[in-house]
Amino acid sequence: MIMKPKGCENEVRILEALGQGVAPGAFEEPLRRHVAGCASCSEMISVYELFQADSRQLCAAAPLPNAGRVWWR
């Protein structure tokens, strides 16, 4: 359940799209135009992209145990 933000009315649509895995560049044209002109939505996308970049970096650096060791545990 996504709570309604107190900023722009389109934030809910953007959060829903991001939650479904839609990249900001793949938004529908009207929503992309809105994001380009709305400071609140642009900032939200920027924060989202920073979190995604951190997540990718942390996942790439995480050491994975040997599969045999996991199997025997």
Side-chain angles (χ1 to χ4, degrees), residues 12-30:
V12 172
R13 290 178 51 206
I14 293 169
L15 288 173
E16 287 174 350
L18 293 173
Q20 294 172 359
V22 178
F27 287 167
E28 297 174 2
E29 182 59 32

Side-chain angles (χ1 to χ4, degrees), residues 2 8-9 11 14 19-21 27 29 34-35 41-42 44-45 48 53 63 70 73:
I2 296 177
C8 177
E9 63 203 30
E11 286 182 10
I14 293 169
Q20 294 172 359
F27 287 167
E29 182 59 32
H34 170 77
V35 169
C41 291
S42 295
M44 185 174 58
I45 297 279
Y48 168 81
V70 172
R73 284 189 168 209

Side-chain angles (χ1 to χ4, degrees), residues 1-69:
M1 172 195 235
I2 296 177
M3 295 178 61
K4 184 173 179 169
K6 294 182 180 181
C8 177
E9 63 203 30
N10 287 310
E11 286 182 10
V12 172
R13 290 178 51 206
I14 293 169
L15 288 173
E16 287 174 350
L18 293 173
Q20 294 172 359
V22 178
F27 287 167
E28 297 174 2
E29 182 59 32
L31 196 53
R32 277 191 306 216
R33 278 196 315 265
H34 170 77
V35 169
C38 178
S40 177
C41 291
S42 295
E43 183 177 358
M44 185 174 58
I45 297 279
S46 295
V47 171
Y48 168 81
E49 290 173 339
L50 286 172
F51 277 119
Q52 291 299 309
D54 282 349
S55 176
R56 284 190 299 274
Q57 183 181 6
L58 290 172
C59 287
L64 295 177
N66 181 313
R69 185 174 183 184

